């Protein structure tokens, strides 16, 4: 089955690395197929930035994400910009501290979107003591809330993707994200 | 009879591809003096002729390497220094000599000239500056003196010329000199120094093109042109004390740079030694 | 032994170059190809090679031509504007029969166009961009693995035929990440020095395949290499029509007569196809997706993936034109390869174009609608 995931935020939040790690986890460690693409150009520097991954147990021909099954939004701007593309019954993971959920309530209800909260930035700052690993917290949350990549594979992918001196902080961040509650957010 | 002729053979002839003669240069052209000076400089520098590779671009001066019995790369207009940069970096053992002209080096190839000098790559560049485009029929060049005539300057050149030796010095070359075809001894000495310098060497030779520059500028014969050079040259030491006004129309001759700055290909080779413990490969495209 | 990586196409190209034996790179930064230069600036010194960032793309190709004659395998990478600047020296590499590889990661043009968006608008520039007659070789990868594999293939073809080879990639393939497998055992072609020694050697006398042996500077051959029309010795021979005809026809024929050896295509589901999609590079990905979708709906569609746009695989295109009623060429330009297909297919089949510009891959659903219009 083909699953499309879009991770969006603002420049500097490490959304591209998140996409790369998910892609590596799927292809190198879960040994299914993955293609990662990203937006380039002025919008990749500041403003909204996005990484996309297609994961499938079959050959991936068309490499681009068209209508994601999963949208991960780490900023309000990114949420608003990319929400429209999310599939009906799709999964939306947001950092509640970074967005205004009321603005998307109608869309969520109308399209039967399953919403999860992941306070990635706050957890990175408070529990790990390193704000820049918010993206890794988010990867933990993605791993927990969805079944696109396995826990072990994602952990391995993080270990081969981050600088050697930062491995333990990143694993702490991943575990913190994975420990989050997977209760659906009720917007009714 | 044969031996008599042979004994009178030009001493440079042994370095030339006899099967390519006669050459295409006009009577009175400065290229011959310069080529002779090159071989004299090469001999006094005790260079191994078999190790010399020549690179050139397009123009009369760039045709010289084709007549020399060495490996030669006759490239596109203005780009000889780019090709030479690859050749020398690819095999730093070669002694790479570049023949170029004022149009080739200073107009279309001006950017490559300053960058090769900036890198200080170990090339010996002989720039034959005749202040005109000879091969295409006498158009003005970036070194044509203001007011001089050419087939594209029927009312006289309007723009200011480049001072090549000064330009290349400013860009960072290790060795820079300017002489004229009237100074063959100093010229071959400068070529010797250039060949010996471990860095970018630039020898500008002011040369005569009686066919075009002379004809269009009331210096009809080679002798007129040679006389003009003789009358106009000022040695650098003296020129340094003269005002711009006094130097108007003068040709400053002498050495402009002679220093030992880090050489480019050595840096590349050292980086390879640092990163993988061995110098850069040579001829690795070939089967052993 | 083999290793797996999840990397960008541009990174795969750089690794392929090292595996192919490339030990010299000269280039100039330009989006979307820059990662190739960046990676090689790191990898070459670790592998006994040289990396030079030149002052422009004209000097970049000049430097790799010089390096090739010094005896190294050499490469440069660029995109549209830089590829335009390289055209004169590309012709020089053709007439002097200098092996080298030029990677063009295509972006939207003309001019500065869309630096970060994909296009396939340089196909005809590869064919006709430099002045005069010549026959180019170009390879177009449609996956990250192919960008790696084709880089090695490009070096091999350039050595085998003594020609510049263009790797005609695009932004999609350059920037996307996929898994690739790098085998330890990779076949690379090396040069054989001429057996004859010294000045009598004729560097432009054709041996088998119309190709002559490539000597190196400094080996005592006293080479005379020129961009002028030349004789077998390498001496300028510019005024006799026969000399020019002999040289240029040999240069063209060494590619044309070996077209079947060089040209590579992949044909799928074509035997019973009413419609055959033809594409190259990243557009192939959309074409395969559209083929599957059409087959699911019971429409008889096949596809031809052209790995070597140059030389065009004429035999194969002719063959499929006799089977299908309609050929649809899918490319990211307003129609370039379609003219070649039309020329080859003649009246055997109707040739159509899906030409998409703007930077995005052709949409498989758009291709499907076009198919439905036809059947």
């Amino acid at each position: 089955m083909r699953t499309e995931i879009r991770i969006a935020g603002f420049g500097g939040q490490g959304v591209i690395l998140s996409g790369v790690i998910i892609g590596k986890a799927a292809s190198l460690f879960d040994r299914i197929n993955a293609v990662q693409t990203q937006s380039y150009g002025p919008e990749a520097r500041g403003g909204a930035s996005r990484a996309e991954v297609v994961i499938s147990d079959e050959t991936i021909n068309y490499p681009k994400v068209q209508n994601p099954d999963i949208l991960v939004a780490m900023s309000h701007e990114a949420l608003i910009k990319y929400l429209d593309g999310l599939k009906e019954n799709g999964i939306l993971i947001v950092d509640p501290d970074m967005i205004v959920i009321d603005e998307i309530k109608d869309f969520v209800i109308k399209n039967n979107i399953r919403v999860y909260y992941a306070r990635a930035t706050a957890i990175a700052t408070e529990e790990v003591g390193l704000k820049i690993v918010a993206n890794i917290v988010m990867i933990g949350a993605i791993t927990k809330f969805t079944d696109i990549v396995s826990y072990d594979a994602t952990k391995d992918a993080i270990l081969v993707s981050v600088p050697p001196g930062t491995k333990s902080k990143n694993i702490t961040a991943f575990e913190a994200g994975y420990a989050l509650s997977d209760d659906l957010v009720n917007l009714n | 009879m044969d031996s008599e002729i042979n004994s009178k053979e030009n001493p440079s002839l042994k370095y030339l591809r006899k099967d390519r003669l006669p050459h295409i240069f006009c009577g009175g052209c400065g290229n011959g003096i310069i080529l002779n000076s090159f071989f004299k400089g090469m001999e006094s520098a005790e260079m191994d002729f078999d190790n010399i590779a020549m690179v050139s671009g397009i123009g009369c001066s760039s045709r010289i390497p084709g007549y020399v019995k060495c490996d030669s790369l006759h490239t596109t207009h203005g780009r000889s220094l780019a090709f030479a940069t690859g050749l020398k970096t690819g095999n730093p053992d070669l002694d790479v000599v570049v023949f170029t002209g004022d149009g080739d080096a200073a107009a279309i190839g001006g950017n490559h000239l300053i960058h090769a000098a900036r890198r200080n790559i170990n090339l010996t560049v002989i720039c034959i500056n005749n202040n005109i485009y000879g091969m295409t029929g006498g158009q003005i060049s970036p070194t044509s003196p203001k007011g001089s005539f050419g087939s594209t300057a029927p009312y006289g050149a309007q723009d200011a010329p480049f001072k090549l030796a000064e330009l290349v010095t400013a860009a960072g070359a290790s060795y820079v000199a300017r002489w004229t075809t009237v100074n063959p001894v100093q010229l071959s000495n400068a070529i010797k120094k250039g060949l010996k310098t471990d860095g970018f060497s630039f020898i500008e030779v002011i040369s005569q093109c009686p066919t075009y520059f002379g004809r269009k500028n009331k210096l009809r014969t080679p002798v007129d042109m040679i006389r003009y050079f003789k009358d106009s040259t000022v040695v650098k030491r003296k020129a340094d004390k003269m005002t711009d006004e006094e130097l108007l129309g003068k040709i400053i001759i002498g050495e402009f740079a002679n220093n030992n700055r880090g050489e480019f290909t050595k840096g590349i080779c050292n980086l390879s030694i640092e990163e993988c413990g061995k110098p850069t490969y040579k001829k690795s495209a070939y089967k052993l | 032994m083999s290793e797996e990586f999840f990397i960008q196409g541009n990174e795969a190209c750089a690794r392929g170059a090292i595996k192919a034996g490339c030990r010299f790179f000269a280039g100039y930064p330009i989006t979307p190809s820059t990662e190739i230069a960046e990676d090689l600036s790191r990898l070459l010194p670790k592998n006994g090679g040289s990396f030079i960032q030149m002052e422009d793309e004209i000097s970049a190709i000049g430097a790799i031509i010089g390096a090739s004659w010094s005896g190294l395998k050499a490469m440069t990478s660029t995109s549209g504007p830089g590829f335009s600047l390289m055209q004169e020296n590309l012709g020089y590499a053709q007439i002097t029969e200098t092996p080298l590889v030029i990677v063009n990661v295509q972006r939207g043009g003309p001019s500065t166009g869309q630096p970060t968006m994909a296009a396939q608008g340089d196909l005809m520039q590869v064919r006709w961009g430099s002045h005069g007659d010549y026959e180019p070789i170009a390879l177009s990868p449609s996956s990250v693995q192919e960008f790696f594999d084709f880089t090695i293939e490009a070096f091999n073809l350039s050595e085998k035929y003594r020609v510049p080879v263009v790797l005609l990639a695009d932004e999609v393939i350059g920037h996307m990440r996929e898994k690739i497998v790098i085998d330890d055992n990779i076949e690379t072609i090396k040069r054989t020095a001429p057996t004859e020694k010294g000045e009598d050697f004729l560097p432009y006398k054709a041996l088998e395949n119309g190709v002559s042996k490539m000597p190196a500077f400094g080996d005592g051959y006293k080479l005379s290499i020129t961009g002028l029309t030349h004789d077998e010795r390498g001496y300028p021979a510019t005024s006799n029509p026969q000399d020019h005809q002999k040289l240029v026809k040999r240069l063209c024929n060494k590619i044309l007569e070996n077209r079947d050896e060089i040209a590579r295509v992949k044909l799928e589901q074509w035997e019973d196809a009413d419609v055959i999609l033809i594409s190259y590079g990243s557009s192939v990905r959309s074409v395969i997706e559209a083929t599957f979708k059409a087959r699911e709906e019971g429409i008889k569609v096949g596809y031809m993936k052209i790995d070597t746009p140059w030389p065009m695989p004429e035999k194969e295109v002719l063959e499929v034109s006799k089977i299908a009623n309609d050929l649809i060429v899918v490319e990211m330009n307003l129609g370039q390869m379609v003219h070649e297909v039309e020329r080859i297919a003649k009246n055997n089949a109707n040739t159509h174009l899906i030409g998409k510009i703007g930077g995005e891959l052709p949409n498989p659903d758009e291709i499907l609608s076009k198919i439905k219009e036809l059947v």
Side-chain angles (χ1 to χ4, degrees):
Chain A
M1 205 188 71
R2 178 183 173 112
T3 308
E4 298 187 352
I5 173 166
R6 174 175 287 152
I7 307 170
F10 49 77
Q13 279 183 315
V15 298
I16 306 289
L17 181 62
S18 309
V20 175
I21 288 172
I22 300 275
K24 268 188 197 173
S27 76
L28 297 182
F29 299 103
D30 278 335
R31 308 203 64 76
I32 54 175
N33 297 306
V35 182
Q36 183 269 330
T37 56
Q38 64 211 48
S39 63
Y40 271 85
E43 72 174 273
R45 291 168 185 84
S49 166
R50 69 170 207 260
E52 298 174 336
V53 192
V54 179
I55 295 173
S56 177
D57 47 8
E58 290 166 28
T59 307
I60 299 167
N61 295 312
Y62 190 73
K64 298 275 186 175
V65 165
Q66 287 174 303
N67 291 106
D69 303 280
I70 301 163
L71 173 66
V72 181
M74 294 181 70
S75 77
H76 189 70
E77 189 194 346
L79 174 66
I80 300 305
K81 187 167 178 187
Y82 296 117
L83 187 66
D84 265 356
L86 185 58
K87 261 187 199 149
E88 248 186 87
N89 306 318
I91 292 175
L92 174 67
I93 304 173
V94 291
D95 186 335
D97 302 330
M98 309 297 281
I99 59 131
V100 185
I101 196 77
D102 282 350
E103 279 188 32
I104 61 159
K105 207 171 156 182
D106 292 348
F107 181 91
V108 166
I109 293 165
K110 188 178 155 217
N111 294 286
N112 195 29
I113 304 296
R114 287 175 286 161
V115 182
Y116 295 93
Y117 279 164
R119 299 189 63 214
T121 308
I123 290 168
T125 316
E126 289 155 23
E127 292 184 27
V128 191
L130 200 63
K131 195 180 169 187
I132 56 159
V133 296
N135 60 337
I136 307 294
V137 177
M138 197 53 103
I139 289 173
I142 296 166
T143 314
K144 177 77 167 280
F145 304 157
T146 75
D147 55 0
I148 52 164
V149 281
S150 71
Y151 171 87
D152 289 339
T154 312
K155 208 167 163 178
D156 288 342
I158 291 169
L159 287 171
V160 299
S161 304
V162 299
T166 67
K167 284 187 186 191
S168 73
K169 287 256 180 205
N170 277 293
I171 292 304
T172 308
F174 171 69
E175 299 284 9
Y178 196 76
L180 284 167
S181 156
D182 57 359
D183 291 344
L184 281 172
V185 178
N186 190 347
L187 292 184
N188 287 312
Chain B
M1 186 69 185
D2 264 4
S3 65
E4 198 176 311
I5 290 168
N6 282 341
S7 68
K8 284 179 188 162
E9 186 180 282
N10 183 311
S12 293
L13 210 54
K14 60 179 172 290
Y15 300 122
L16 299 183
R17 297 181 191 272
K18 288 179 197 166
D19 52 352
R20 281 219 57 207
L21 299 175
H23 56 69
I24 61 164
F25 307 130
C26 309
C29 173
N31 281 359
I33 298 173
I34 295 160
L35 189 54
N36 277 323
S37 304
F38 174 80
F39 290 129
K40 286 203 182 92
M42 179 189 83
E43 284 170 354
S44 58
E46 295 178 338
M47 304 297 289
D48 175 6
F49 176 66
D50 286 330
N51 198 48
I52 284 179
M54 289 187 178
V55 185
S56 62
I58 297 296
C60 294
S61 52
S62 288
R63 285 299 186 99
I64 285 179
Y67 297 110
V68 181
K69 211 194 305 175
C70 66
D71 286 326
S72 64
L73 198 57
H74 176 229
T75 72
T76 48
H77 196 21
R79 319 301 172 194
S80 56
L81 288 168
F83 286 72
T85 296
L87 181 64
K88 177 70 186 178
T89 309
N91 185 359
D93 293 345
L94 295 171
D95 295 307
V96 180
V97 176
V98 176
F99 275 89
T100 184
D102 42 320
D104 199 49
I108 190 166
N111 201 31
H112 310 308
L113 178 64
I114 56 175
H115 283 277
R118 166 180 74 84
R119 290 188 187 101
N120 202 32
I121 183 167
N122 188 3
L123 304 171
T124 305
V125 181
I126 319 286
C127 178
I128 302 177
N129 179 3
N130 57 11
N131 304 305
I132 203 130
Y133 284 80
M135 190 157 271
T136 46
Q139 300 78 26
I140 53 158
S141 88
T143 61
S144 298
K146 208 166 179 173
S148 67
F149 295 96
S151 62
T152 49
Y155 312 111
Q158 300 294 309
D159 37 346
F162 261 139
K163 299 171 181 172
L164 292 185
E166 289 87 337
L167 175 74
V168 177
T169 303
S174 264
Y175 184 81
V176 180
R178 180 192 289 123
W179 297 102
T180 76
T181 46
V182 181
N183 323 102
V185 177
Q186 294 94 325
L187 175 61
S188 62
N189 193 37
I191 287 168
K192 174 189 168 185
K193 284 186 182 174
L195 287 167
K196 284 290 185 196
T197 299
D198 189 16
F200 192 76
S201 306
F202 184 80
I203 295 116
E204 179 184 356
V205 195
I206 307 295
S207 180
Q208 69 276 19
C209 174
T211 304
Y212 287 110
F213 191 88
R215 205 149 48 86
K216 289 181 185 295
N217 289 282
K218 300 199 171 85
L219 297 160
R220 234 160 229 291
T221 68
V223 177
D224 290 338
M225 292 211 69
I226 291 283
R227 195 169 290 138
Y228 163 70
F229 290 162
K230 271 200 156 156
D231 295 344
S232 314
T233 47
V234 181
V235 290
K236 186 163 184 300
R237 240 190 342 264
K238 194 174 164 196
D240 287 343
K241 292 171 194 149
M242 291 164 69
T243 64
D244 285 353
E245 232 165 56
E246 290 169 319
L247 284 170
L248 213 63
K250 299 290 183 196
I251 301 165
I252 305 170
I253 50 173
E255 264 180 22
F256 288 74
N258 191 355
N259 61 60
N260 243 328
R261 202 159 70 77
E263 195 273 329
F264 178 74
T265 60
K266 288 210 166 52
I268 287 198
C269 200
N270 286 339
L271 181 64
S272 176
I273 293 168
E274 275 169 35
E275 292 300 317
C276 70
K278 49 185 187 245
T280 47
Y281 283 103
K282 285 168 204 149
K283 296 181 188 164
S284 62
Y286 287 87
K287 283 182 189 150
L288 288 174
Chain C
M1 279 291 288
S2 65
E3 265 191 289
E4 292 178 349
F5 302 91
F6 187 75
I7 52 175
Q8 284 192 318
N10 284 345
E11 293 176 80
C13 173
R15 289 179 196 222
I18 297 289
K19 278 276 177 190
C22 172
R23 290 296 175 270
F24 186 94
F25 180 97
Y28 189 81
I30 185 168
T31 306
S33 77
T34 307
E35 293 86 359
I36 299 171
E38 287 173 343
D39 274 12
L40 285 169
S41 72
R42 185 173 49 81
L43 293 173
L44 278 166
K46 291 194 183 301
N47 289 277
S50 306
F51 172 91
I52 308 181
Q53 183 169 321
M54 296 300 290
E55 52 271 22
D56 56 28
E57 288 88 347
I58 300 172
S59 52
I61 179 171
I64 66 170
I65 294 171
S68 188
W69 282 101
S70 83
L72 299 180
K73 291 189 186 179
M75 179 172 109
T76 187
S77 64
T78 189
S79 187
F83 193 59
S84 292
L85 286 177
M86 290 181 183
Q87 293 306 314
E88 186 194 10
N89 282 342
L90 193 52
Y92 183 90
Q94 284 285 356
I95 201 169
T96 56
E97 298 177 74
T98 307
L100 51 88
V101 174
I102 300 169
V103 189
N104 177 359
V105 186
Q106 293 171 94
R107 66 192 228 185
S111 191
T112 315
Q114 293 177 291
T116 60
M117 303 293 271
Q120 296 177 317
D122 306 349
L123 182 84
M124 283 298 174
Q125 188 182 21
V126 173
R127 178 68 190 84
W128 305 108
S130 199
H131 55 282
D133 291 295
Y134 60 98
E135 292 289 335
I137 297 180
L139 298 162
S140 273
S142 63
S143 68
V144 174
Q145 180 73 50
E146 281 188 348
F147 209 169
F148 176 86
D149 294 342
F150 288 8
T151 303
I152 290 158
E153 185 65 17
F155 274 101
N156 284 348
L157 288 168
S158 79
E159 292 297 334
K160 187 170 179 187
Y161 295 103
R162 262 187 79 175
V163 285
V165 172
V166 177
L167 253 171
L168 195 60
D170 55 67
E171 190 275 337
V172 170
I173 301 303
H175 279 160
M176 76 182 191
R177 287 183 177 85
E178 283 182 311
K179 185 173 84 176
I180 69 160
V181 181
I182 299 183
D183 252 310
D184 274 353
N185 251 339
I186 287 171
E187 201 184 322
T188 60
I189 294 181
K190 287 201 161 195
R191 289 177 204 170
T192 9
T195 40
E196 310 90 321
K197 279 288 166 199
E199 297 160 38
D200 295 332
F201 174 67
L202 299 174
Y204 290 102
K205 187 180 167 68
L207 304 172
E208 76 278 16
N209 277 343
V211 189
S212 33
K213 288 229 160 62
M214 168 104 176
F217 272 45
D219 278 353
Y221 295 101
K222 310 281 183 187
L223 297 166
S224 169
I225 308 303
T226 176
L228 293 165
T229 297
H230 42 266
D231 61 18
E232 291 181 339
R233 179 74 185 85
Y235 289 176
T238 57
S239 20
N240 183 341
Q242 281 80 37
D243 288 333
H244 187 76
Q245 287 158 4
K246 188 180 165 196
L247 173 67
V248 176
K249 282 183 178 172
R250 178 175 65 78
L251 296 184
C252 291
N253 284 337
K254 75 178 176 181
I255 303 304
L256 293 176
E257 285 170 8
N258 294 298
R259 188 202 296 268
D260 292 347
E261 282 267 307
I262 302 166
R264 284 168 50 156
V265 299
K266 190 181 169 200
L267 264 166
E268 290 288 338
Q269 315 210 43
W270 58 287
E271 292 94 338
D272 65 340
D274 296 323
V275 177
I276 289 180
L277 305 170
I278 299 179
S279 195
Y280 54 99
S282 63
S283 309
V284 166
R285 306 289 288 245
S286 306
V287 156
I288 299 175
E289 188 73 18
T291 305
F292 282 130
K293 286 191 172 188
R295 285 277 169 179
E296 270 172 22
E297 296 188 24
I299 312 169
K300 288 177 179 168
V301 174
Y303 70 86
M304 177 188 268
K305 167 179 179 284
I306 296 184
D307 293 340
T308 53
W310 307 115
M312 264 297 278
E314 304 212 358
K315 201 173 73 184
E316 289 83 355
V317 173
L318 183 64
E319 202 173 330
V320 297
S321 74
K322 290 174 182 165
I323 288 164
N325 300 323
D326 294 282
L327 305 176
I328 306 177
V329 179
V330 181
E331 52 186 335
M332 295 168 75
N333 55 53
L334 293 180
Q336 297 194 16
M337 184 178 272
V338 69
H339 299 302
E340 285 291 293
V341 172
E342 215 160 21
R343 173 180 68 77
I344 299 160
K346 294 197 180 74
N347 297 323
N348 295 324
N350 300 311
T351 305
H352 313 271
L353 166 72
I354 295 179
K356 177 126 181 179
I357 60 167
E360 285 169 351
L361 273 180
N363 187 324
D365 292 329
E366 279 171 42
I367 302 172
L368 190 60
S369 332
K370 178 77 183 176
I371 294 168
K372 285 178 181 169
E373 258 174 49
L374 296 172
V375 293

